[in-house]
mmCIF file of all heavy atoms in Angstrom:
data_model
loop_
_atom_site.group_PDB
_atom_site.id
_atom_site.type_symbol
_atom_site.label_atom_id
_atom_site.label_comp_id
_atom_site.label_asym_id
_atom_site.label_seq_id
_atom_site.Cartn_x
_atom_site.Cartn_y
_atom_site.Cartn_z
ATOM 1 N N GLU A 1 -79.567 75.080 166.423
ATOM 2 C CA GLU A 1 -78.949 76.328 165.989
ATOM 3 C C GLU A 1 -78.011 76.115 164.799
ATOM 4 O O GLU A 1 -77.851 77.001 163.955
ATOM 5 C CB GLU A 1 -78.193 77.001 167.135
ATOM 6 C CG GLU A 1 -77.074 76.172 167.764
ATOM 7 C CD GLU A 1 -77.563 75.316 168.934
ATOM 8 O OE1 GLU A 1 -78.787 75.075 169.028
ATOM 9 O OE2 GLU A 1 -76.707 74.906 169.737
ATOM 10 N N LEU A 2 -77.393 74.917 164.673
ATOM 11 C CA LEU A 2 -76.537 74.630 163.530
ATOM 12 C C LEU A 2 -77.379 74.477 162.266
ATOM 13 O O LEU A 2 -76.979 74.928 161.191
ATOM 14 C CB LEU A 2 -75.711 73.364 163.783
ATOM 15 C CG LEU A 2 -74.696 73.006 162.696
ATOM 16 C CD1 LEU A 2 -73.713 74.148 162.487
ATOM 17 C CD2 LEU A 2 -73.946 71.729 163.059
ATOM 18 N N GLU A 3 -78.533 73.845 162.396
ATOM 19 C CA GLU A 3 -79.435 73.714 161.256
ATOM 20 C C GLU A 3 -79.918 75.088 160.813
ATOM 21 O O GLU A 3 -80.034 75.363 159.607
ATOM 22 C CB GLU A 3 -80.626 72.822 161.622
ATOM 23 C CG GLU A 3 -81.750 72.780 160.588
ATOM 24 C CD GLU A 3 -81.365 72.181 159.246
ATOM 25 O OE1 GLU A 3 -80.183 71.825 159.046
ATOM 26 O OE2 GLU A 3 -82.247 72.053 158.385
ATOM 27 N N GLU A 4 -80.182 75.978 161.742
ATOM 28 C CA GLU A 4 -80.603 77.329 161.371
ATOM 29 C C GLU A 4 -79.486 78.054 160.625
ATOM 30 O O GLU A 4 -79.749 78.781 159.667
ATOM 31 C CB GLU A 4 -81.022 78.121 162.612
ATOM 32 C CG GLU A 4 -82.296 77.629 163.269
ATOM 33 C CD GLU A 4 -83.476 77.628 162.315
ATOM 34 O OE1 GLU A 4 -83.647 78.618 161.567
ATOM 35 O OE2 GLU A 4 -84.230 76.636 162.302
ATOM 36 N N LYS A 5 -78.256 77.856 161.055
ATOM 37 C CA LYS A 5 -77.134 78.471 160.346
ATOM 38 C C LYS A 5 -77.011 77.899 158.944
ATOM 39 O O LYS A 5 -76.736 78.626 157.979
ATOM 40 C CB LYS A 5 -75.833 78.255 161.130
ATOM 41 C CG LYS A 5 -75.744 79.051 162.429
ATOM 42 C CD LYS A 5 -74.426 78.789 163.137
ATOM 43 C CE LYS A 5 -74.350 79.564 164.457
ATOM 44 N NZ LYS A 5 -73.084 79.288 165.188
ATOM 45 N N ARG A 6 -77.199 76.563 158.838
ATOM 46 C CA ARG A 6 -77.140 75.929 157.518
ATOM 47 C C ARG A 6 -78.191 76.510 156.589
ATOM 48 O O ARG A 6 -77.932 76.808 155.419
ATOM 49 C CB ARG A 6 -77.338 74.415 157.661
ATOM 50 C CG ARG A 6 -77.114 73.623 156.366
ATOM 51 C CD ARG A 6 -77.620 72.199 156.472
ATOM 52 N NE ARG A 6 -79.085 72.171 156.443
ATOM 53 C CZ ARG A 6 -79.809 72.212 155.322
ATOM 54 N NH1 ARG A 6 -79.201 72.292 154.147
ATOM 55 N NH2 ARG A 6 -81.118 72.180 155.365
ATOM 56 N N LEU A 7 -79.404 76.693 157.112
ATOM 57 C CA LEU A 7 -80.481 77.257 156.304
ATOM 58 C C LEU A 7 -80.188 78.703 155.925
ATOM 59 O O LEU A 7 -80.467 79.127 154.803
ATOM 60 C CB LEU A 7 -81.811 77.156 157.054
ATOM 61 C CG LEU A 7 -82.372 75.741 157.206
ATOM 62 C CD1 LEU A 7 -83.545 75.737 158.181
ATOM 63 C CD2 LEU A 7 -82.799 75.173 155.855
ATOM 64 N N ASP A 8 -79.611 79.457 156.846
ATOM 65 C CA ASP A 8 -79.243 80.833 156.534
ATOM 66 C C ASP A 8 -78.251 80.875 155.376
ATOM 67 O O ASP A 8 -78.349 81.725 154.483
ATOM 68 C CB ASP A 8 -78.637 81.522 157.763
ATOM 69 C CG ASP A 8 -79.673 81.861 158.821
ATOM 70 O OD1 ASP A 8 -80.875 81.864 158.498
ATOM 71 O OD2 ASP A 8 -79.274 82.108 159.974
ATOM 72 N N VAL A 9 -77.280 79.967 155.411
ATOM 73 C CA VAL A 9 -76.301 79.896 154.335
ATOM 74 C C VAL A 9 -76.985 79.519 153.022
ATOM 75 O O VAL A 9 -76.734 80.123 151.975
ATOM 76 C CB VAL A 9 -75.182 78.896 154.681
ATOM 77 C CG1 VAL A 9 -74.277 78.676 153.472
ATOM 78 C CG2 VAL A 9 -74.373 79.388 155.867
ATOM 79 N N LEU A 10 -77.855 78.532 153.064
ATOM 80 C CA LEU A 10 -78.595 78.118 151.876
ATOM 81 C C LEU A 10 -79.369 79.291 151.284
ATOM 82 O O LEU A 10 -79.300 79.564 150.079
ATOM 83 C CB LEU A 10 -79.551 76.982 152.232
ATOM 84 C CG LEU A 10 -80.585 76.601 151.159
ATOM 85 C CD1 LEU A 10 -79.900 76.079 149.901
ATOM 86 C CD2 LEU A 10 -81.567 75.575 151.705
ATOM 87 N N TYR A 11 -80.096 80.001 152.131
ATOM 88 C CA TYR A 11 -80.924 81.106 151.648
ATOM 89 C C TYR A 11 -80.080 82.250 151.102
ATOM 90 O O TYR A 11 -80.526 82.999 150.229
ATOM 91 C CB TYR A 11 -81.828 81.615 152.765
ATOM 92 C CG TYR A 11 -82.799 80.581 153.310
ATOM 93 C CD1 TYR A 11 -83.243 80.641 154.629
ATOM 94 C CD2 TYR A 11 -83.237 79.516 152.517
ATOM 95 C CE1 TYR A 11 -84.117 79.695 155.138
ATOM 96 C CE2 TYR A 11 -84.118 78.566 153.023
ATOM 97 C CZ TYR A 11 -84.551 78.650 154.334
ATOM 98 O OH TYR A 11 -85.411 77.702 154.830
ATOM 99 N N SER A 12 -78.866 82.386 151.615
ATOM 100 C CA SER A 12 -78.014 83.494 151.174
ATOM 101 C C SER A 12 -77.631 83.367 149.707
ATOM 102 O O SER A 12 -77.318 84.374 149.054
ATOM 103 C CB SER A 12 -76.750 83.575 152.035
ATOM 104 O OG SER A 12 -75.859 82.502 151.755
ATOM 105 N N TYR A 13 -77.679 82.161 149.165
ATOM 106 C CA TYR A 13 -77.326 81.962 147.760
ATOM 107 C C TYR A 13 -78.473 82.313 146.820
ATOM 108 O O TYR A 13 -78.264 82.438 145.608
ATOM 109 C CB TYR A 13 -76.891 80.510 147.529
ATOM 110 C CG TYR A 13 -75.530 80.191 148.105
ATOM 111 C CD1 TYR A 13 -75.397 79.391 149.231
ATOM 112 C CD2 TYR A 13 -74.368 80.703 147.530
ATOM 113 C CE1 TYR A 13 -74.150 79.107 149.773
ATOM 114 C CE2 TYR A 13 -73.119 80.424 148.052
ATOM 115 C CZ TYR A 13 -73.024 79.620 149.180
ATOM 116 O OH TYR A 13 -71.788 79.346 149.704
ATOM 117 N N LEU A 14 -79.703 82.438 147.344
ATOM 118 C CA LEU A 14 -80.872 82.851 146.555
ATOM 119 C C LEU A 14 -81.082 81.965 145.331
ATOM 120 O O LEU A 14 -81.370 82.448 144.231
ATOM 121 C CB LEU A 14 -80.716 84.310 146.121
ATOM 122 C CG LEU A 14 -80.593 85.339 147.246
ATOM 123 C CD1 LEU A 14 -80.282 86.718 146.682
ATOM 124 C CD2 LEU A 14 -81.863 85.372 148.073
ATOM 125 N N GLN A 15 -80.950 80.656 145.526
ATOM 126 C CA GLN A 15 -81.116 79.722 144.415
ATOM 127 C C GLN A 15 -82.403 78.914 144.477
ATOM 128 O O GLN A 15 -82.789 78.286 143.488
ATOM 129 C CB GLN A 15 -79.917 78.767 144.356
ATOM 130 C CG GLN A 15 -78.631 79.409 143.868
ATOM 131 C CD GLN A 15 -78.758 79.937 142.455
ATOM 132 O OE1 GLN A 15 -79.095 79.202 141.530
ATOM 133 N NE2 GLN A 15 -78.501 81.228 142.284
ATOM 134 N N LEU A 16 -83.063 78.916 145.609
ATOM 135 C CA LEU A 16 -84.327 78.183 145.709
ATOM 136 C C LEU A 16 -85.370 78.830 144.804
ATOM 137 O O LEU A 16 -85.474 80.059 144.725
ATOM 138 C CB LEU A 16 -84.821 78.174 147.157
ATOM 139 C CG LEU A 16 -84.062 77.272 148.131
ATOM 140 C CD1 LEU A 16 -84.457 77.601 149.564
ATOM 141 C CD2 LEU A 16 -84.311 75.804 147.836
ATOM 142 N N ASP A 17 -86.142 77.986 144.122
ATOM 143 C CA ASP A 17 -87.270 78.458 143.295
ATOM 144 C C ASP A 17 -86.838 79.409 142.185
ATOM 145 O O ASP A 17 -87.601 80.284 141.790
ATOM 146 C CB ASP A 17 -88.329 79.126 144.180
ATOM 147 C CG ASP A 17 -88.841 78.196 145.272
ATOM 148 O OD1 ASP A 17 -89.266 77.076 144.937
ATOM 149 O OD2 ASP A 17 -88.799 78.581 146.450
ATOM 150 N N THR A 18 -85.632 79.202 141.670
ATOM 151 C CA THR A 18 -85.167 80.013 140.548
ATOM 152 C C THR A 18 -85.523 79.342 139.230
ATOM 153 O O THR A 18 -85.918 78.172 139.190
ATOM 154 C CB THR A 18 -83.647 80.224 140.627
ATOM 155 O OG1 THR A 18 -83.010 78.944 140.811
ATOM 156 C CG2 THR A 18 -83.291 81.128 141.788
ATOM 157 N N ALA A 19 -85.382 80.078 138.148
ATOM 158 C CA ALA A 19 -85.700 79.545 136.823
ATOM 159 C C ALA A 19 -84.686 78.476 136.425
ATOM 160 O O ALA A 19 -83.614 78.345 137.024
ATOM 161 C CB ALA A 19 -85.700 80.678 135.804
ATOM 162 N N ARG A 20 -85.043 77.718 135.407
ATOM 163 C CA ARG A 20 -84.133 76.689 134.903
ATOM 164 C C ARG A 20 -82.825 77.323 134.473
ATOM 165 O O ARG A 20 -82.788 78.425 133.962
ATOM 166 C CB ARG A 20 -84.763 75.958 133.720
ATOM 167 C CG ARG A 20 -85.928 75.064 134.099
ATOM 168 C CD ARG A 20 -86.360 74.225 132.906
ATOM 169 N NE ARG A 20 -85.258 73.384 132.425
ATOM 170 C CZ ARG A 20 -85.362 72.579 131.367
ATOM 171 N NH1 ARG A 20 -86.485 72.535 130.670
ATOM 172 N NH2 ARG A 20 -84.347 71.833 130.979
ATOM 173 N N ASP A 21 -81.752 76.588 134.686
ATOM 174 C CA ASP A 21 -80.415 77.087 134.376
ATOM 175 C C ASP A 21 -79.693 75.985 133.606
ATOM 176 O O ASP A 21 -79.460 74.890 134.116
ATOM 177 C CB ASP A 21 -79.675 77.418 135.679
ATOM 178 C CG ASP A 21 -78.348 78.123 135.445
ATOM 179 O OD1 ASP A 21 -77.633 77.747 134.500
ATOM 180 O OD2 ASP A 21 -78.025 79.043 136.219
ATOM 181 N N ALA A 22 -79.332 76.281 132.360
ATOM 182 C CA ALA A 22 -78.738 75.267 131.485
ATOM 183 C C ALA A 22 -77.437 74.693 132.044
ATOM 184 O O ALA A 22 -77.125 73.523 131.822
ATOM 185 C CB ALA A 22 -78.491 75.861 130.102
ATOM 186 N N ALA A 23 -76.680 75.505 132.776
ATOM 187 C CA ALA A 23 -75.407 75.028 133.324
ATOM 188 C C ALA A 23 -75.627 73.940 134.367
ATOM 189 O O ALA A 23 -74.904 72.931 134.406
ATOM 190 C CB ALA A 23 -74.630 76.190 133.923
ATOM 191 N N PHE A 24 -76.645 74.092 135.214
ATOM 192 C CA PHE A 24 -76.961 73.055 136.194
ATOM 193 C C PHE A 24 -77.544 71.815 135.503
ATOM 194 O O PHE A 24 -77.266 70.688 135.906
ATOM 195 C CB PHE A 24 -77.946 73.593 137.237
ATOM 196 C CG PHE A 24 -77.335 74.535 138.228
ATOM 197 C CD1 PHE A 24 -77.437 75.904 138.060
ATOM 198 C CD2 PHE A 24 -76.646 74.060 139.333
ATOM 199 C CE1 PHE A 24 -76.874 76.790 138.970
ATOM 200 C CE2 PHE A 24 -76.071 74.927 140.252
ATOM 201 C CZ PHE A 24 -76.180 76.302 140.063
ATOM 202 N N GLU A 25 -78.344 72.042 134.475
ATOM 203 C CA GLU A 25 -78.901 70.916 133.719
ATOM 204 C C GLU A 25 -77.781 70.079 133.099
ATOM 205 O O GLU A 25 -77.842 68.847 133.081
ATOM 206 C CB GLU A 25 -79.834 71.435 132.613
ATOM 207 C CG GLU A 25 -81.050 72.186 133.101
ATOM 208 C CD GLU A 25 -82.131 71.275 133.649
ATOM 209 O OE1 GLU A 25 -82.031 70.054 133.467
ATOM 210 O OE2 GLU A 25 -83.081 71.794 134.274
ATOM 211 N N LEU A 26 -76.745 70.762 132.618
ATOM 212 C CA LEU A 26 -75.628 70.049 132.004
ATOM 213 C C LEU A 26 -74.885 69.191 133.022
ATOM 214 O O LEU A 26 -74.470 68.055 132.715
ATOM 215 C CB LEU A 26 -74.666 71.059 131.366
ATOM 216 C CG LEU A 26 -73.482 70.468 130.587
ATOM 217 C CD1 LEU A 26 -73.983 69.591 129.439
ATOM 218 C CD2 LEU A 26 -72.586 71.584 130.054
ATOM 219 N N LEU A 27 -74.737 69.694 134.238
ATOM 220 C CA LEU A 27 -74.087 68.901 135.289
ATOM 221 C C LEU A 27 -74.899 67.648 135.607
ATOM 222 O O LEU A 27 -74.345 66.563 135.810
ATOM 223 C CB LEU A 27 -73.889 69.751 136.540
ATOM 224 C CG LEU A 27 -72.783 70.811 136.483
ATOM 225 C CD1 LEU A 27 -72.843 71.692 137.721
ATOM 226 C CD2 LEU A 27 -71.414 70.147 136.361
ATOM 227 N N ALA A 28 -76.224 67.795 135.668
ATOM 228 C CA ALA A 28 -77.078 66.634 135.923
ATOM 229 C C ALA A 28 -76.970 65.628 134.779
ATOM 230 O O ALA A 28 -76.916 64.411 135.005
ATOM 231 C CB ALA A 28 -78.524 67.090 136.114
ATOM 232 N N GLU A 29 -76.939 66.129 133.546
ATOM 233 C CA GLU A 29 -76.807 65.241 132.390
ATOM 234 C C GLU A 29 -75.475 64.495 132.427
ATOM 235 O O GLU A 29 -75.412 63.288 132.118
ATOM 236 C CB GLU A 29 -76.920 66.052 131.104
ATOM 237 C CG GLU A 29 -78.315 66.606 130.835
ATOM 238 C CD GLU A 29 -78.344 67.539 129.637
ATOM 239 O OE1 GLU A 29 -77.324 67.592 128.912
ATOM 240 O OE2 GLU A 29 -79.368 68.208 129.432
ATOM 241 N N ALA A 30 -74.413 65.201 132.810
ATOM 242 C CA ALA A 30 -73.103 64.556 132.893
ATOM 243 C C ALA A 30 -73.109 63.467 133.959
ATOM 244 O O ALA A 30 -72.559 62.365 133.748
ATOM 245 C CB ALA A 30 -72.028 65.599 133.199
ATOM 246 N N ALA A 31 -73.729 63.736 135.095
ATOM 247 C CA ALA A 31 -73.803 62.738 136.164
ATOM 248 C C ALA A 31 -74.572 61.511 135.712
ATOM 249 O O ALA A 31 -74.157 60.371 135.976
ATOM 250 C CB ALA A 31 -74.468 63.349 137.397
ATOM 251 N N ALA A 32 -75.694 61.707 135.016
ATOM 252 C CA ALA A 32 -76.490 60.578 134.539
ATOM 253 C C ALA A 32 -75.716 59.756 133.518
ATOM 254 O O ALA A 32 -75.762 58.518 133.529
ATOM 255 C CB ALA A 32 -77.801 61.088 133.936
ATOM 256 N N GLU A 33 -74.990 60.446 132.640
ATOM 257 C CA GLU A 33 -74.239 59.753 131.595
ATOM 258 C C GLU A 33 -73.094 58.945 132.195
ATOM 259 O O GLU A 33 -72.879 57.776 131.836
ATOM 260 C CB GLU A 33 -73.703 60.785 130.609
ATOM 261 C CG GLU A 33 -72.879 60.202 129.476
ATOM 262 C CD GLU A 33 -73.706 59.384 128.499
ATOM 263 O OE1 GLU A 33 -74.940 59.606 128.423
ATOM 264 O OE2 GLU A 33 -73.111 58.509 127.825
ATOM 265 N N ILE A 34 -72.340 59.548 133.101
ATOM 266 C CA ILE A 34 -71.184 58.873 133.688
ATOM 267 C C ILE A 34 -71.605 57.683 134.541
ATOM 268 O O ILE A 34 -70.956 56.630 134.537
ATOM 269 C CB ILE A 34 -70.369 59.874 134.522
ATOM 270 C CG1 ILE A 34 -69.691 60.875 133.583
ATOM 271 C CG2 ILE A 34 -69.347 59.182 135.408
ATOM 272 C CD1 ILE A 34 -69.113 62.087 134.265
ATOM 273 N N CYS A 35 -72.699 57.838 135.264
ATOM 274 C CA CYS A 35 -73.146 56.771 136.158
ATOM 275 C C CYS A 35 -74.108 55.793 135.471
ATOM 276 O O CYS A 35 -74.539 54.814 136.093
ATOM 277 C CB CYS A 35 -73.817 57.375 137.392
ATOM 278 S SG CYS A 35 -72.690 58.366 138.403
ATOM 279 N N GLN A 36 -74.458 56.093 134.222
ATOM 280 C CA GLN A 36 -75.334 55.217 133.441
ATOM 281 C C GLN A 36 -76.651 54.942 134.160
ATOM 282 O O GLN A 36 -77.027 53.794 134.397
ATOM 283 C CB GLN A 36 -74.606 53.900 133.117
ATOM 284 C CG GLN A 36 -73.410 54.068 132.188
ATOM 285 C CD GLN A 36 -73.813 54.536 130.791
ATOM 286 O OE1 GLN A 36 -74.450 53.798 130.050
ATOM 287 N NE2 GLN A 36 -73.444 55.770 130.453
ATOM 288 N N VAL A 37 -77.334 56.023 134.493
ATOM 289 C CA VAL A 37 -78.610 55.922 135.210
ATOM 290 C C VAL A 37 -79.652 56.800 134.511
ATOM 291 O O VAL A 37 -79.308 57.741 133.791
ATOM 292 C CB VAL A 37 -78.461 56.378 136.677
ATOM 293 C CG1 VAL A 37 -77.548 55.434 137.452
ATOM 294 C CG2 VAL A 37 -77.934 57.812 136.748
ATOM 295 N N PRO A 38 -80.937 56.513 134.706
ATOM 296 C CA PRO A 38 -81.984 57.321 134.077
ATOM 297 C C PRO A 38 -82.307 58.611 134.835
ATOM 298 O O PRO A 38 -82.984 59.479 134.288
ATOM 299 C CB PRO A 38 -83.198 56.389 134.083
ATOM 300 C CG PRO A 38 -82.974 55.506 135.271
ATOM 301 C CD PRO A 38 -81.493 55.302 135.354
#
């Protein structure tokens, strides 16, 4: 039941299967740069 609640919360944000978002891409780029990983 806790996993179901977690999934409900996840779905409430309506972010799954959305289009590319430059702001999220920038966060990923920053993480790769800071951690020096590909």
Side-chain angles (χ1 to χ4, degrees):
E1 59 270 19
L2 184 58
E3 171 64 357
E4 292 303 316
K5 290 180 181 178
R6 188 193 73 82
L7 290 169
D8 287 343
V9 172
L10 169 63
Y11 299 151
S12 72
Y13 287 108
L14 300 173
Q15 288 298 304
L16 287 167
D17 303 307
T18 50
R20 290 188 59 182
D21 188 320
F24 286 97
E25 297 284 349
L26 184 60
L27 286 172
E29 291 173 10
E33 179 69 23
I34 290 167
C35 296
Q36 294 295 292
V37 294

